[in-house]
């Protein structure tokens, strides 16, 4: 089980990337959960975003968001090292 949880709304633009495979391959200790809705009404239509241990991370493009997700994961994992 991961010590970091990344949650993604399946209606979000970030799903244009295979975020689940990308993140779980790079960070085996991270679990990616795809959800129907994360209850941030409208945010998924405006910008790509995800929740990393309940912290909102977003970017202007899916690629920028993915980079920010990676950075947030590294910050979260540093707590456990």
């Amino acid at each position: 089980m991961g010590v970091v949880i990344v949650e993604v709304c399946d209606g979000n633009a970030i799903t244009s990337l295979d975020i689940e495979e990308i993140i779980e391959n790079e960070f085996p200790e991270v679990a990616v959960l795809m959800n129907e809705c994360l209850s941030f009404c409208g945010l998924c239509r405006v910008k790509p975003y995800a929740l990393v241990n309940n912290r909102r991370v977003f970017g202007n493009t899916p690629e920028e968001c993915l980079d920010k997700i990676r950075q947030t994961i590294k910050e979260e994992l540093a707590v456990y090292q």
Side-chain angles (χ1 to χ4, degrees), residues 2-3 5 16 19 22 34 39-41 43 46 48 55-61 64-65 73 78-79:
V3 294
I5 307 295
S16 65
I19 184 123
I22 293 168
M34 301 300 288
S39 299
F40 290 104
C41 293
L43 184 58
V46 177
R55 291 172 52 189
R56 278 184 279 175
V57 178
F58 53 90
N60 292 318
T61 65
E64 179 185 351
C65 186
I73 288 170
V79 173

Side-chain angles (χ1 to χ4, degrees), residues 24-67:
E24 289 182 351
N25 284 338
E26 286 182 37
F27 303 97
E29 60 274 70
V30 174
V32 177
L33 304 175
M34 301 300 288
N35 293 298
E36 189 173 308
C37 181
L38 294 174
S39 299
F40 290 104
C41 293
L43 184 58
C44 63
R45 290 191 194 117
V46 177
K47 290 187 177 209
Y49 85 101
L51 297 178
V52 179
N53 281 0
N54 291 320
R55 291 172 52 189
R56 278 184 279 175
V57 178
F58 53 90
N60 292 318
T61 65
E63 293 79 11
E64 179 185 351
C65 186
L66 179 58
D67 289 339

Side-chain angles (χ1 to χ4, degrees), residues 62-79:
E63 293 79 11
E64 179 185 351
C65 186
L66 179 58
D67 289 339
K68 289 182 178 184
I69 290 168
R70 286 179 175 125
Q71 182 59 41
T72 305
I73 288 170
K74 290 174 186 174
E75 291 169 9
E76 291 289 322
L77 290 174
V79 173

Side-chain angles (χ1 to χ4, degrees), residues 9-24:
C9 175
D10 65 8
N12 191 316
I14 190 108
T15 60
S16 65
L17 305 173
D18 190 353
I19 184 123
E20 188 171 10
E21 184 175 339
I22 293 168
I23 294 297
E24 289 182 351

